[in-house]
Coordinates of all heavy atoms in Angstrom, one line a residue:
M1 N -18.2 0.7 -2.1 CA -16.9 1.3 -2.3 C -16.0 0.5 -1.3 O -16.3 0.3 -0.1 CB -17.0 2.7 -1.9 CG -15.7 3.5 -2.2 SD -16.1 5.2 -2.3 CE -14.6 5.8 -2.7
Y2 N -14.8 0.2 -1.8 CA -13.9 -0.7 -1.0 C -13.1 0.2 0.0 O -12.6 -0.4 1.0 CB -13.0 -1.4 -1.9 CG -11.9 -0.6 -2.6 CD1 -10.6 -0.6 -2.0 CD2 -12.1 0.1 -3.7 CE1 -9.6 0.1 -2.6 CE2 -11.1 0.9 -4.3 CZ -9.8 0.9 -3.7 OH -8.8 1.6 -4.3
L3 N -12.9 1.4 -0.2 CA -12.0 2.3 0.6 C -12.9 3.4 1.2 O -13.0 4.5 0.7 CB -10.9 2.8 -0.2 CG -9.7 3.4 0.6 CD1 -9.1 2.4 1.5 CD2 -8.7 4.0 -0.4
T4 N -13.5 3.1 2.4 CA -14.3 4.1 3.0 C -13.4 4.9 4.0 O -12.3 4.6 4.2 CB -15.4 3.4 3.9 OG1 -14.8 2.6 4.8 CG2 -16.3 2.6 3.0
K5 N -14.0 6.0 4.5 CA -13.3 6.9 5.4 C -12.9 6.1 6.7 O -11.8 6.4 7.2 CB -14.2 8.0 5.8 CG -13.6 9.1 6.6 CD -14.5 10.2 6.8 CE -13.8 11.3 7.7 NZ -14.7 12.4 7.9
E6 N -13.7 5.2 7.1 CA -13.4 4.4 8.3 C -12.2 3.5 8.1 O -11.3 3.4 9.0 CB -14.6 3.6 8.8 CG -15.7 4.4 9.3 CD -16.6 5.0 8.2 OE1 -16.6 4.4 7.1 OE2 -17.3 6.0 8.5
I7 N -12.1 2.9 6.9 CA -11.0 2.0 6.6 C -9.7 2.9 6.6 O -8.7 2.5 7.1 CB -11.2 1.3 5.3 CG1 -12.4 0.3 5.5 CG2 -10.0 0.6 4.9 CD1 -12.8 -0.4 4.2
K8 N -9.8 4.0 5.9 CA -8.6 4.9 5.8 C -8.1 5.3 7.2 O -6.9 5.3 7.5 CB -8.9 6.1 5.0 CG -8.7 6.0 3.5 CD -8.8 7.3 2.9 CE -8.4 7.3 1.5 NZ -8.5 8.6 0.8
T9 N -9.0 5.8 8.1 CA -8.6 6.2 9.4 C -8.0 5.1 10.2 O -7.1 5.3 10.9 CB -9.8 6.8 10.2 OG1 -10.9 5.9 10.2 CG2 -10.2 8.2 9.6
D10 N -8.6 3.8 10.0 CA -8.0 2.7 10.7 C -6.6 2.4 10.2 O -5.7 2.1 11.0 CB -8.9 1.4 10.5 CG -10.2 1.5 11.3 OD1 -10.3 2.3 12.2 OD2 -11.1 0.7 10.9
I11 N -6.4 2.5 8.9 CA -5.0 2.2 8.4 C -4.0 3.3 8.9 O -3.0 2.9 9.3 CB -5.1 2.3 6.8 CG1 -5.8 1.0 6.3 CG2 -3.7 2.3 6.2 CD1 -6.1 1.0 4.8
F12 N -4.4 4.5 8.9 CA -3.5 5.6 9.3 C -3.3 5.6 10.8 O -2.2 5.9 11.3 CB -4.0 7.0 8.8 CG -3.7 7.2 7.4 CD1 -4.7 7.4 6.5 CD2 -2.4 7.1 6.9 CE1 -4.5 7.6 5.2 CE2 -2.2 7.3 5.5 CZ -3.2 7.6 4.7
K13 N -4.3 5.1 11.6 CA -4.2 5.0 13.0 C -3.2 3.9 13.4 O -2.4 4.1 14.3 CB -5.5 4.8 13.7 CG -5.5 4.9 15.2 CD -6.9 4.6 15.8 CE -8.0 5.5 15.3 NZ -9.3 5.2 15.9
K14 N -3.3 2.8 12.7 CA -2.5 1.7 12.9 C -1.0 1.9 12.5 O -0.1 1.5 13.2 CB -3.1 0.4 12.3 CG -2.3 -0.9 12.6 CD -3.0 -2.0 12.0 CE -2.3 -3.3 12.3 NZ -2.8 -4.5 11.6
H15 N -0.8 2.4 11.3 CA 0.5 2.5 10.7 C 1.1 3.9 10.7 O 2.3 4.1 10.7 CB 0.5 2.0 9.3 CG 0.1 0.6 9.2 ND1 1.0 -0.5 9.5 CD2 -1.0 0.0 8.8 CE1 0.3 -1.6 9.4 NE2 -0.9 -1.4 8.9
G16 N 0.3 4.9 10.8 CA 0.8 6.3 10.7 C 1.0 7.0 12.0 O 1.5 8.1 12.1
G17 N 0.5 6.4 13.1 CA 0.7 7.0 14.4 C -0.6 7.6 14.9 O -1.1 7.3 16.0
S18 N -1.3 8.4 14.1 CA -2.6 8.9 14.4 C -3.4 9.0 13.1 O -2.9 8.9 12.0 CB -2.5 10.3 15.0 OG -2.1 11.3 14.1
E19 N -4.7 9.1 13.3 CA -5.6 9.1 12.1 C -5.5 10.4 11.3 O -5.8 10.4 10.1 CB -7.0 8.9 12.5 CG -7.6 9.9 13.6 CD -8.9 9.5 14.1 OE1 -9.0 8.3 14.5 OE2 -9.8 10.3 14.2
T20 N -4.9 11.4 11.8 CA -4.7 12.7 11.1 C -3.4 12.8 10.4 O -3.1 13.6 9.6 CB -4.9 13.9 12.0 OG1 -4.0 13.9 13.0 CG2 -6.3 14.0 12.5
N21 N -2.5 11.8 10.7 CA -1.1 11.8 10.1 C -1.2 11.0 8.8 O -0.6 9.9 8.7 CB -0.1 11.2 11.1 CG 1.3 11.4 10.7 OD1 1.6 12.0 9.7 ND2 2.2 10.8 11.4
T22 N -1.7 11.6 7.8 CA -1.9 10.9 6.5 C -0.7 11.0 5.6 O -0.7 10.3 4.6 CB -3.1 11.5 5.8 OG1 -2.9 12.9 5.5 CG2 -4.4 11.2 6.6
G23 N 0.3 11.8 6.0 CA 1.5 11.9 5.2 C 2.6 11.1 5.6 O 3.7 11.1 4.9
S24 N 2.5 10.3 6.6 CA 3.6 9.4 7.0 C 3.9 8.4 6.0 O 3.0 7.9 5.3 CB 3.3 8.8 8.4 OG 2.3 7.8 8.2
T25 N 5.1 8.0 5.9 CA 5.6 7.0 4.9 C 4.9 5.7 5.2 O 4.4 5.0 4.3 CB 7.1 6.9 4.9 OG1 7.7 8.2 4.8 CG2 7.6 6.0 3.8
E26 N 4.9 5.3 6.4 CA 4.3 4.0 6.8 C 2.9 3.9 6.5 O 2.3 2.9 6.0 CB 4.6 3.7 8.3 CG 6.0 3.5 8.7 CD 6.6 4.8 9.1 OE1 6.0 5.9 8.9 OE2 7.8 4.8 9.6
G27 N 2.1 5.0 6.8 CA 0.7 5.1 6.5 C 0.4 5.0 5.0 O -0.5 4.3 4.5
Q28 N 1.2 5.7 4.2 CA 1.1 5.7 2.7 C 1.3 4.3 2.2 O 0.6 3.9 1.3 CB 2.0 6.7 2.1 CG 1.6 8.2 2.3 CD 0.3 8.5 1.7 OE1 0.1 8.2 0.5 NE2 -0.6 9.2 2.4
I29 N 2.4 3.7 2.7 CA 2.7 2.3 2.2 C 1.5 1.4 2.5 O 1.1 0.5 1.7 CB 4.0 1.8 2.7 CG1 5.2 2.7 2.2 CG2 4.2 0.4 2.5 CD1 6.5 2.5 2.8
A30 N 1.0 1.5 3.7 CA -0.1 0.6 4.1 C -1.4 0.9 3.3 O -2.0 -0.1 2.9 CB -0.4 0.8 5.6
L31 N -1.6 2.1 3.0 CA -2.8 2.5 2.1 C -2.6 1.9 0.7 O -3.5 1.3 0.1 CB -3.0 4.0 2.1 CG -4.2 4.5 1.3 CD1 -5.5 4.0 1.9 CD2 -4.2 6.0 1.2
F32 N -1.4 2.1 0.2 CA -1.1 1.5 -1.2 C -1.2 0.0 -1.2 O -1.7 -0.5 -2.1 CB 0.3 1.9 -1.6 CG 0.4 3.4 -2.0 CD1 1.7 4.0 -2.2 CD2 -0.7 4.2 -2.3 CE1 1.8 5.3 -2.5 CE2 -0.5 5.5 -2.7 CZ 0.7 6.1 -2.8
T33 N -0.8 -0.6 -0.1 CA -0.9 -2.1 0.0 C -2.4 -2.5 0.0 O -2.7 -3.5 -0.7 CB -0.2 -2.6 1.2 OG1 1.2 -2.2 1.2 CG2 -0.2 -4.1 1.3
H34 N -3.2 -1.8 0.7 CA -4.6 -2.1 0.7 C -5.2 -2.0 -0.7 O -6.0 -2.8 -1.1 CB -5.3 -1.2 1.7 CG -6.8 -1.4 1.8 ND1 -7.3 -2.5 2.5 CD2 -7.8 -0.8 1.3 CE1 -8.7 -2.5 2.3 NE2 -9.0 -1.4 1.6
R35 N -4.9 -0.9 -1.4 CA -5.4 -0.7 -2.7 C -4.8 -1.7 -3.7 O -5.6 -2.2 -4.6 CB -5.0 0.7 -3.2 CG -5.8 1.8 -2.4 CD -5.3 3.2 -2.8 NE -5.5 3.5 -4.2 CZ -4.9 4.5 -4.8 NH1 -4.2 5.4 -4.2 NH2 -5.1 4.7 -6.1
I36 N -3.6 -2.1 -3.6 CA -3.0 -3.1 -4.4 C -3.7 -4.4 -4.3 O -4.0 -5.1 -5.2 CB -1.5 -3.2 -4.2 CG1 -0.8 -2.0 -4.8 CG2 -0.9 -4.5 -4.8 CD1 0.7 -1.8 -4.3
N37 N -4.0 -4.8 -3.0 CA -4.7 -6.1 -2.8 C -6.1 -6.1 -3.4 O -6.5 -7.1 -4.0 CB -4.8 -6.3 -1.3 CG -3.4 -6.6 -0.7 OD1 -2.5 -7.1 -1.4 ND2 -3.3 -6.4 0.6
H38 N -6.7 -4.9 -3.3 CA -8.1 -4.8 -3.9 C -8.0 -4.9 -5.4 O -8.8 -5.7 -6.1 CB -8.7 -3.5 -3.5 CG -10.0 -3.3 -4.2 ND1 -11.2 -4.0 -3.9 CD2 -10.4 -2.4 -5.2 CE1 -12.2 -3.6 -4.7 NE2 -11.7 -2.6 -5.5
L39 N -7.1 -4.2 -6.1 CA -6.9 -4.3 -7.5 C -6.5 -5.6 -8.0 O -6.9 -6.1 -9.1 CB -5.9 -3.2 -8.0 CG -6.4 -1.8 -7.9 CD1 -5.3 -0.8 -8.3 CD2 -7.6 -1.5 -8.6
T40 N -5.7 -6.3 -7.2 CA -5.3 -7.7 -7.6 C -6.5 -8.6 -7.6 O -6.6 -9.4 -8.6 CB -4.2 -8.2 -6.6 OG1 -3.1 -7.3 -6.6 CG2 -3.7 -9.6 -7.0
T41 N -7.3 -8.6 -6.7 CA -8.5 -9.4 -6.7 C -9.5 -9.0 -7.8 O -10.1 -9.9 -8.4 CB -9.3 -9.4 -5.4 OG1 -9.7 -8.0 -5.1 CG2 -8.5 -9.9 -4.2
H42 N -9.5 -7.8 -8.2 CA -10.4 -7.3 -9.3 C -9.8 -7.9 -10.6 O -10.6 -8.3 -11.5 CB -10.4 -5.8 -9.3 CG -11.0 -5.2 -10.6 ND1 -12.4 -5.2 -10.7 CD2 -10.5 -4.7 -11.7 CE1 -12.6 -4.7 -11.9 NE2 -11.5 -4.4 -12.5
L43 N -8.5 -7.9 -10.7 CA -7.9 -8.3 -12.0 C -8.0 -9.8 -12.1 O -7.9 -10.4 -13.2 CB -6.4 -7.9 -12.1 CG -6.3 -6.4 -12.5 CD1 -4.8 -6.0 -12.4 CD2 -6.8 -6.2 -13.9
K44 N -8.1 -10.6 -11.0 CA -8.3 -12.0 -11.1 C -9.6 -12.3 -11.8 O -9.7 -13.3 -12.5 CB -8.1 -12.7 -9.8 CG -6.7 -12.7 -9.3 CD -6.6 -13.4 -7.9 CE -5.2 -13.4 -7.5 NZ -5.0 -13.9 -6.1
R45 N -10.6 -11.5 -11.5 CA -11.9 -11.7 -12.1 C -12.0 -11.1 -13.5 O -12.8 -11.6 -14.3 CB -13.0 -11.1 -11.2 CG -13.3 -11.9 -9.9 CD -14.3 -11.2 -9.1 NE -13.6 -10.2 -8.3 CZ -14.0 -8.9 -8.1 NH1 -15.1 -8.5 -8.7 NH2 -13.3 -8.1 -7.4
N46 N -11.3 -10.0 -13.8 CA -11.4 -9.3 -15.0 C -10.1 -9.2 -15.7 O -9.4 -8.2 -15.6 CB -12.0 -7.9 -14.8 CG -13.3 -7.9 -14.0 OD1 -14.3 -8.4 -14.5 ND2 -13.3 -7.3 -12.8
Q47 N -9.7 -10.3 -16.4 CA -8.3 -10.3 -16.9 C -8.1 -9.3 -18.0 O -6.9 -8.9 -18.2 CB -8.0 -11.7 -17.4 CG -7.8 -12.7 -16.4 CD -8.9 -13.7 -16.3 OE1 -9.8 -13.8 -17.1 NE2 -8.9 -14.5 -15.2
K48 N -9.1 -8.9 -18.7 CA -8.9 -8.0 -19.8 C -9.0 -6.5 -19.5 O -9.1 -5.7 -20.4 CB -9.8 -8.3 -21.0 CG -9.5 -9.7 -21.6 CD -10.3 -10.0 -22.8 CE -9.9 -11.3 -23.4 NZ -10.6 -11.6 -24.6
D49 N -9.1 -6.2 -18.2 CA -9.2 -4.8 -17.8 C -7.8 -4.2 -17.8 O -7.1 -4.2 -16.7 CB -9.8 -4.7 -16.4 CG -10.2 -3.3 -16.0 OD1 -9.8 -2.4 -16.7 OD2 -10.8 -3.2 -14.9
F50 N -7.3 -3.7 -18.9 CA -6.0 -3.2 -19.0 C -5.7 -1.9 -18.3 O -4.6 -1.6 -17.9 CB -5.6 -3.1 -20.5 CG -5.6 -4.5 -21.2 CD1 -6.6 -4.7 -22.2 CD2 -4.8 -5.5 -20.8 CE1 -6.6 -6.0 -22.8 CE2 -4.9 -6.8 -21.4 CZ -5.8 -7.0 -22.4
N51 N -6.7 -1.0 -18.2 CA -6.6 0.2 -17.5 C -6.3 0.0 -16.0 O -5.4 0.6 -15.4 CB -7.8 1.1 -17.7 CG -8.0 1.6 -19.1 OD1 -7.0 1.9 -19.7 ND2 -9.2 1.7 -19.5
T52 N -7.0 -1.0 -15.4 CA -6.7 -1.3 -14.0 C -5.4 -1.9 -13.9 O -4.7 -1.7 -12.9 CB -7.8 -2.2 -13.5 OG1 -9.1 -1.6 -13.7 CG2 -7.6 -2.6 -12.1
E53 N -5.0 -2.7 -14.9 CA -3.7 -3.3 -14.8 C -2.6 -2.3 -14.8 O -1.6 -2.4 -14.0 CB -3.5 -4.3 -16.0 CG -2.2 -5.1 -15.9 CD -2.1 -6.1 -17.1 OE1 -3.1 -6.3 -17.8 OE2 -1.0 -6.6 -17.3
R54 N -2.7 -1.3 -15.6 CA -1.7 -0.2 -15.7 C -1.7 0.6 -14.4 O -0.7 0.9 -13.8 CB -2.1 0.8 -16.8 CG -1.1 1.9 -17.0 CD -1.4 2.7 -18.2 NE -0.3 3.7 -18.4 CZ -0.3 4.9 -17.8 NH1 -1.3 5.3 -17.0 NH2 0.7 5.8 -18.0
S55 N -2.9 0.8 -13.8 CA -3.0 1.5 -12.5 C -2.3 0.7 -11.4 O -1.6 1.3 -10.5 CB -4.4 1.8 -12.1 OG -5.1 2.6 -13.1
L56 N -2.5 -0.6 -11.5 CA -1.8 -1.5 -10.5 C -0.3 -1.4 -10.6 O 0.4 -1.3 -9.6 CB -2.3 -2.9 -10.7 CG -1.7 -3.9 -9.8 CD1 -2.1 -3.7 -8.3 CD2 -2.1 -5.3 -10.2
V57 N 0.2 -1.4 -11.8 CA 1.7 -1.4 -12.0 C 2.2 0.0 -11.5 O 3.3 0.0 -10.9 CB 2.0 -1.6 -13.5 CG1 3.4 -1.3 -13.8 CG2 1.7 -3.0 -13.9
M58 N 1.5 1.1 -11.8 CA 1.9 2.4 -11.3 C 1.9 2.5 -9.8 O 2.8 3.0 -9.2 CB 1.1 3.5 -11.9 CG 1.3 3.7 -13.4 SD 0.2 4.8 -14.2 CE 0.1 6.2 -13.1
L59 N 0.9 1.9 -9.2 CA 0.7 1.9 -7.7 C 1.8 1.1 -7.1 O 2.4 1.5 -6.0 CB -0.6 1.4 -7.3 CG -1.2 1.7 -6.0 CD1 -1.3 3.2 -5.8 CD2 -2.6 1.1 -5.8
V60 N 2.2 -0.1 -7.7 CA 3.3 -0.9 -7.1 C 4.6 -0.1 -7.2 O 5.4 -0.2 -6.3 CB 3.4 -2.2 -7.9 CG1 4.6 -3.0 -7.6 CG2 2.2 -3.1 -7.5
G61 N 4.8 0.6 -8.3 CA 6.0 1.5 -8.4 C 6.1 2.5 -7.4 O 7.2 2.8 -6.8
K62 N 5.0 3.2 -7.1 CA 4.9 4.2 -6.1 C 5.3 3.6 -4.7 O 6.0 4.2 -3.9 CB 3.6 4.9 -6.0 CG 3.3 5.9 -7.1 CD 1.9 6.5 -6.8 CE 1.5 7.4 -7.9 NZ 0.2 8.0 -7.7
R63 N 4.7 2.5 -4.4 CA 4.9 1.8 -3.1 C 6.4 1.4 -3.0 O 7.0 1.5 -2.0 CB 4.0 0.6 -3.0 CG 4.2 -0.1 -1.6 CD 3.3 -1.3 -1.4 NE 3.8 -2.4 -2.3 CZ 3.2 -3.6 -2.2 NH1 2.1 -3.8 -1.5 NH2 3.7 -4.5 -3.0
R64 N 6.9 0.9 -4.1 CA 8.3 0.5 -4.2 C 9.3 1.6 -3.9 O 10.2 1.5 -3.1 CB 8.7 -0.1 -5.5 CG 10.1 -0.6 -5.7 CD 10.3 -1.9 -5.0 NE 11.0 -1.7 -3.7 CZ 10.9 -2.5 -2.7 NH1 10.1 -3.5 -2.7 NH2 11.6 -2.2 -1.6
S65 N 9.0 2.8 -4.4 CA 9.8 4.0 -4.2 C 9.7 4.4 -2.7 O 10.7 4.8 -2.1 CB 9.5 5.1 -5.1 OG 8.2 5.6 -4.9
L66 N 8.5 4.4 -2.2 CA 8.4 4.7 -0.7 C 9.1 3.7 0.2 O 9.7 4.1 1.2 CB 6.9 4.8 -0.4 CG 6.2 6.1 -0.8 CD1 4.7 6.0 -0.5 CD2 6.7 7.3 -0.1
L67 N 9.0 2.4 -0.2 CA 9.7 1.4 0.6 C 11.2 1.6 0.5 O 11.9 1.5 1.5 CB 9.3 0.0 0.1 CG 8.0 -0.5 0.5 CD1 7.6 -1.8 -0.2 CD2 8.0 -0.8 2.0
D68 N 11.7 2.0 -0.7 CA 13.2 2.3 -0.8 C 13.6 3.5 0.1 O 14.6 3.5 0.7 CB 13.5 2.5 -2.2 CG 13.5 1.3 -3.1 OD1 13.5 0.2 -2.5 OD2 13.4 1.4 -4.3
Y69 N 12.7 4.5 0.1 CA 13.0 5.7 0.9 C 13.0 5.3 2.4 O 13.9 5.7 3.1 CB 11.9 6.7 0.7 CG 11.9 7.9 1.7 CD1 12.9 8.9 1.6 CD2 11.0 7.9 2.7 CE1 12.9 9.9 2.5 CE2 11.0 9.0 3.6 CZ 12.0 9.9 3.5 OH 12.0 11.0 4.4
L70 N 12.0 4.5 2.8 CA 12.0 4.1 4.2 C 13.1 3.2 4.6 O 13.7 3.3 5.7 CB 10.6 3.4 4.5 CG 10.4 3.0 5.9 CD1 10.2 4.2 6.8 CD2 9.1 2.2 6.0
K71 N 13.6 2.4 3.7 CA 14.7 1.5 3.9 C 16.0 2.3 4.1 O 16.8 2.0 5.0 CB 14.9 0.6 2.7 CG 16.0 -0.5 2.9 CD 16.0 -1.4 1.7 CE 17.0 -2.5 1.9 NZ 17.0 -3.4 0.7
K72 N 16.2 3.4 3.3 CA 17.3 4.3 3.5 C 17.2 5.1 4.8 O 18.2 5.3 5.5 CB 17.5 5.3 2.4 CG 18.1 4.6 1.1 CD 18.4 5.7 0.1 CE 17.3 5.8 -0.8 NZ 17.5 6.8 -1.9
K73 N 16.0 5.5 5.2 CA 15.8 6.4 6.3 C 15.9 5.6 7.6 O 16.6 6.0 8.5 CB 14.4 7.1 6.2 CG 14.1 8.1 7.3 CD 12.8 8.7 7.0 CE 12.3 9.4 8.3 NZ 10.9 9.7 8.2
D74 N 15.2 4.5 7.7 CA 15.1 3.7 9.0 C 14.9 2.3 8.6 O 13.7 1.9 8.4 CB 14.0 4.3 9.9 CG 14.1 3.7 11.3 OD1 14.9 2.8 11.5 OD2 13.3 4.1 12.1
I75 N 15.9 1.5 8.7 CA 15.9 0.1 8.3 C 15.0 -0.8 9.2 O 14.3 -1.7 8.8 CB 17.3 -0.6 8.1 CG1 17.2 -1.9 7.5 CG2 17.9 -0.7 9.5 CD1 17.2 -1.8 6.0
E76 N 14.9 -0.4 10.5 CA 14.1 -1.2 11.5 C 12.6 -1.0 11.2 O 11.9 -2.0 11.2 CB 14.5 -0.8 12.9 CG 15.8 -1.3 13.3 CD 16.0 -2.8 13.2 OE1 15.1 -3.5 13.6 OE2 17.1 -3.2 12.7
K77 N 12.2 0.2 11.0 CA 10.8 0.5 10.6 C 10.4 -0.2 9.3 O 9.3 -0.8 9.2 CB 10.5 2.0 10.5 CG 10.4 2.7 11.7 CD 10.1 4.2 11.5 CE 10.0 5.0 12.7 NZ 9.7 6.4 12.4
Y78 N 11.4 -0.3 8.4 CA 11.2 -0.9 7.1 C 10.9 -2.4 7.3 O 9.9 -3.0 6.8 CB 12.4 -0.7 6.2 CG 12.4 -1.6 5.0 CD1 11.7 -1.2 3.9 CD2 13.2 -2.7 4.9 CE1 11.7 -1.9 2.7 CE2 13.2 -3.5 3.8 CZ 12.5 -3.1 2.7 OH 12.5 -3.8 1.5
R79 N 11.7 -3.1 8.1 CA 11.6 -4.5 8.4 C 10.3 -4.8 9.1 O 9.6 -5.8 8.8 CB 12.8 -5.0 9.2 CG 14.1 -5.0 8.4 CD 15.2 -5.5 9.2 NE 16.5 -5.5 8.4 CZ 17.7 -5.3 8.9 NH1 17.8 -5.2 10.2 NH2 18.7 -5.3 8.1
I80 N 9.9 -4.0 10.1 CA 8.7 -4.2 10.8 C 7.5 -4.1 9.9 O 6.6 -4.9 9.9 CB 8.6 -3.2 12.0 CG1 9.6 -3.5 13.1 CG2 7.2 -3.2 12.6 CD1 9.8 -2.5 14.1
L81 N 7.5 -3.0 9.0 CA 6.4 -2.8 8.1 C 6.2 -3.9 7.1 O 5.1 -4.3 6.8 CB 6.6 -1.4 7.4 CG 5.4 -0.9 6.7 CD1 4.2 -0.6 7.6 CD2 5.7 0.3 5.9
I82 N 7.4 -4.4 6.6 CA 7.3 -5.5 5.6 C 6.7 -6.7 6.2 O 5.9 -7.4 5.6 CB 8.8 -5.8 5.1 CG1 9.3 -4.7 4.3 CG2 8.8 -7.1 4.4 CD1 8.7 -4.6 2.9
K83 N 7.1 -7.0 7.5 CA 6.5 -8.2 8.2 C 5.1 -8.0 8.5 O 4.3 -8.9 8.3 CB 7.3 -8.4 9.5 CG 7.0 -9.8 10.1 CD 7.9 -10.0 11.3 CE 9.3 -10.4 10.8 NZ 10.2 -10.8 11.8
E84 N 4.6 -6.8 8.9 CA 3.2 -6.5 9.2 C 2.3 -6.6 8.0 O 1.2 -7.2 8.1 CB 3.1 -5.1 9.8 CG 3.0 -5.0 11.3 CD 2.9 -3.6 11.8 OE1 2.2 -2.8 11.1 OE2 3.4 -3.3 12.8
L85 N 2.8 -6.1 6.9 CA 1.9 -6.1 5.7 C 2.1 -7.3 4.8 O 1.4 -7.4 3.8 CB 2.2 -4.8 4.9 CG 1.9 -3.5 5.6 CD1 2.4 -2.3 4.7 CD2 0.5 -3.3 5.9
N86 N 3.0 -8.2 5.2 CA 3.2 -9.4 4.4 C 3.6 -9.0 2.9 O 3.1 -9.6 2.0 CB 2.0 -10.3 4.4 CG 1.7 -10.9 5.7 OD1 2.6 -11.1 6.5 ND2 0.5 -11.1 6.1
I87 N 4.6 -8.1 2.8 CA 5.1 -7.8 1.5 C 6.3 -8.6 1.3 O 7.2 -8.7 2.1 CB 5.4 -6.3 1.5 CG1 4.1 -5.4 1.7 CG2 6.0 -5.9 0.1 CD1 4.4 -4.0 1.8
R88 N 6.4 -9.2 0.1 CA 7.6 -9.9 -0.3 C 8.7 -9.0 -0.7 O 8.5 -7.9 -1.3 CB 7.3 -10.8 -1.5 CG 6.3 -11.9 -1.2 CD 6.2 -12.8 -2.4 NE 5.6 -12.1 -3.5 CZ 5.8 -12.4 -4.8 NH1 6.5 -13.5 -5.1 NH2 5.2 -11.7 -5.8
K89 N 9.9 -9.3 -0.3 CA 11.1 -8.5 -0.8 C 12.2 -9.5 -1.0 O 12.5 -10.3 -0.3 CB 11.4 -7.5 0.3 CG 12.7 -6.7 0.0 CD 12.5 -6.0 -1.3 CE 13.9 -5.2 -1.6 NZ 14.2 -5.0 -2.9

């Protein structure tokens, strides 16, 4: 399994402030980015997996809306997060 409990706690500890703060915008964006990277590598090997492709597109849309929210709320946190996670904008 690619997303274990330890990986999740590390992501939320690094980006969310604490490992129990799973609802923070930064933590959710970091988790979505991790999942998107995993699905992208999966789709490179399995080009005809259309269900995964649809899931990836939906996940990218969710992350985009959270990034837009963070950009409106706090532009500095947005810029730092974009740079940390290597997200193109």
Side-chain angles (χ1 to χ4, degrees):
M1 188 160 183
Y2 75 97
L3 192 60
T4 61
K5 185 177 181 180
E6 292 80 24
I7 293 173
K8 271 187 168 181
T9 55
D10 288 342
I11 288 171
F12 285 118
K13 191 183 298 182
K14 185 176 180 186
H15 298 286
S18 71
E19 55 192 48
T20 58
N21 189 7
T22 58
S24 69
T25 308
E26 295 90 349
Q28 289 293 315
I29 292 170
L31 182 65
F32 286 165
T33 302
H34 180 75
R35 290 174 60 193
I36 287 169
N37 292 337
H38 174 73
L39 290 177
T40 304
T41 57
H42 171 79
L43 282 173
K44 285 180 182 174
R45 287 178 276 132
N46 307 296
Q47 284 111 10
K48 294 189 177 184
D49 189 356
F50 298 114
N51 291 326
T52 302
E53 186 177 350
R54 182 175 186 273
S55 298
L56 176 66
V57 169
M58 288 173 44
L59 201 57
V60 168
K62 284 183 185 180
R63 182 180 72 178
R64 180 76 258 153
S65 65
L66 281 174
L67 282 168
D68 290 341
Y69 168 76
L70 186 63
K71 188 176 181 180
K72 281 191 266 182
K73 184 179 167 194
D74 190 357
I75 191 82
E76 290 303 317
K77 283 184 183 179
Y78 170 80
R79 289 179 181 152
I80 291 169
L81 191 64
I82 291 290
K83 191 175 285 189
E84 258 181 35
L85 297 175
N86 295 325
I87 300 174
R88 295 184 294 158
K89 175 60 180 152

